[in-house]
Amino acid sequence: MAQEVCGVIAPGKNEPVRVETIVVPDPGPGEAVVKIQACGVCHTDLHYKQGGISDDFPFLLGHEAAGIVESVGEGVTDVAPGDFVILNWRAVCGNCRACLRGRPQYCFNTHNAKQKMTLASTGQELSPALGIGAFADKTLVAAGQCTKVDPTVSPAVAGLLGCGVMAGIGAAINTGNVGRGDTVAVIGCGGVGDAAIAGARLAGAARIIAVDIDDRKLEKALTMGATHTVNSKTSDAVEAIRELTGGFGADVVIEAVGRPETYKQAFYGRDLAGTVVLVGVPTPEMKLELPLLDVFGRGGSLKSSWYGDCLPSRDFPMLIDLHQQGRLDLGAFVTETVQLDEVEKAFERMHGGDVLRSVVVL
Ligand SMILES: [Zn+2]
Ligand SMILES: [Zn+2]
């Protein structure tokens, strides 16, 4: 039977979010209902509220979540009721061109639940953020969006791998292919940038340079694994990166801001034949201008990283295991835990740069 639960809704462009009663249908074929235990507050949720992603209001926000599978629909064999899972927004199809070529991390046909959750008051269909919608007691997803991990880990910590932290770690270890002894610079030290720093440390980088305009964020970056910091408000980021890398530039520069000026810092802050990874998300009006001769002459590779080029079934359990072994401190990303009705306040604190992650605990 369909269930009524509480969920955080963005009703219209720039309107404050609010808790409403939503209707969650029973899982159909290939679907699962998940009882949410924790869900991080991500910039993308704010972008949905601001109308920056689409106009399909009302949205059911939240997408960095962990919880327990409550029920599954027909034909679901990979997960079962009672499983502890992290929700992902890359449920690979297995049949598209990317999947068939053995590159499921680029799957073009990721899937979501077919049935819609609705608002109890009006019957309006909800658009779940990134096909998840997890600021809610329960949500309906495609079973492939559920990735089983070690159930002894805290849900508040596990959920973070569902989006921002995975994007940052993956930008370093998957997209940037950081290796032992590499020099790495990370521009922008919010949650994603700090995760890139943690990923670079995990991969064995010899030197990790954190670049930001906020000294508080640089302090935090040192605790996440940065070996050096550069305040790019008071010094030239490119010069400073070169100075710290014997005059050459870094092997891998990860741009976690998503602006043309910081992208140029990344481009010129890398060594010849080095790699730039763009993981920060730009806005539609931004344009990049670079001398094409420099693009050619400096060689190397310019890459973008979506979701850290992760394969959830491979990367989530592996990173949770490393966390459990004490080799990756995922807990350091949780600044505060909040209640379901505090998401609007959490957006304000995120906007002010005060938190890495607020996590809604249900
Ligand atoms: Zn596919
Ligand atoms: Zn996100």
Side-chain angles (χ1 to χ4, degrees):
M1 227 177 57
Q3 310 181 59
E4 294 200 346
V5 301
C6 289
V8 176
I9 305 299
K13 191 169 177 169
N14 283 323
E15 284 178 43
V17 303
R18 56 175 187 249
V19 177
E20 294 243 12
T21 303
I22 64 167
V23 180
V24 180
D26 281 342
E31 294 176 341
V33 168
V34 178
K35 192 173 181 324
I36 303 299
Q37 294 176 305
C39 182
V41 180
C42 175
H43 273 97
T44 305
D45 294 305
L46 184 59
H47 289 164
Y48 273 110
K49 173 197 148 167
Q50 294 168 334
I53 295 186
S54 85
D55 290 325
D56 297 332
F57 291 99
F59 292 107
L60 173 60
L61 299 181
H63 60 276
E64 279 190 1
I68 304 280
V69 175
E70 182 185 77
S71 54
V72 298
E74 207 186 304
V76 173
T77 53
D78 290 349
V79 286
D83 284 347
F84 178 63
V85 296
I86 300 174
L87 297 181
N88 73 71
W89 43 273
R90 181 170 284 150
V92 300
C93 75
N95 295 308
C96 72
R97 192 164 62 86
C99 284
L100 292 175
R101 296 172 87 200
R103 300 171 185 172
Q105 68 274 29
Y106 304 129
C107 178
F108 304 128
N109 193 25
T110 61
H111 40 258
N112 303 129
K114 296 231 164 43
Q115 300 183 85
K116 288 288 189 180
M117 293 177 277
T118 54
L119 265 184
S121 55
T122 61
Q124 250 179 312
E125 285 189 353
L126 295 167
S127 309
L130 291 171
I132 291 177
F135 289 148
D137 298 310
K138 293 174 188 181
T139 193
L140 176 75
V141 292
Q145 292 181 269
C146 301
T147 307
K148 267 167 77 165
V149 296
D150 180 345
T152 60
V153 72
S154 138
V157 163
L160 297 181
L161 285 181
C163 187
V165 171
M166 184 67 247
I169 294 176
I173 66 175
N174 292 335
T175 318
N177 204 14
V178 172
R180 285 188 297 280
D182 281 352
T183 54
V184 177
V186 176
I187 300 177
C189 300
V192 173
D194 276 354
I197 288 169
R201 172 161 71 176
L202 210 52
R207 189 163 278 208
I208 305 171
I209 304 161
V211 182
D212 202 285
I213 55 173
D214 184 338
D215 281 328
R216 289 173 310 168
K217 291 190 178 175
L218 292 172
E219 290 279 312
K220 178 77 180 172
L222 286 172
T223 70
M224 307 302 277
T227 58
H228 298 77
T229 62
V230 173
N231 186 322
S232 53
K233 211 176 199 172
T234 53
S235 53
D236 183 277
V238 174
E239 289 289 307
I241 293 169
R242 287 211 184 123
E243 234 166 71
L244 289 165
T245 50
F248 297 113
D251 295 310
V252 181
V253 185
I254 297 167
E255 206 282 36
V257 181
R259 298 185 61 87
E261 13 348 336
T262 39
Y263 191 87
K264 281 185 193 172
Q265 290 172 351
F267 181 82
Y268 288 108
R270 84 192 154 127
D271 194 5
L272 285 173
T275 301
V276 172
V277 177
L278 175 64
V279 65
V281 184
T283 57
E285 70 282 0
M286 289 175 180
K287 295 265 188 294
L288 176 69
E289 205 170 296
L290 282 171
L292 193 54
L293 185 59
D294 283 357
V295 176
F296 175 74
R298 304 178 65 83
S301 55
L302 307 175
K303 304 174 92 175
S304 303
S305 186
W306 296 354
Y307 207 177
D309 287 336
C310 77
L311 183 58
S313 59
R314 174 193 67 193
D315 294 339
F316 291 1
M318 177 266 291
L319 292 170
I320 289 293
D321 286 347
L322 292 178
H323 169 72
Q324 297 292 59
Q325 294 167 17
R327 295 162 70 188
L328 171 66
D329 184 8
L330 293 173
F333 290 91
V334 182
T335 313
E336 59 172 8
T337 57
V338 299
Q339 304 292 307
L340 203 55
D341 58 2
E342 294 176 302
V343 171
E344 188 64 48
K345 267 191 273 173
F347 281 154
E348 280 160 34
R349 280 194 290 272
M350 183 171 68
H351 205 65
D354 301 333
V355 294
L356 277 187
R357 272 297 187 264
S358 304
V359 178
V360 174
V361 173
L362 290 127

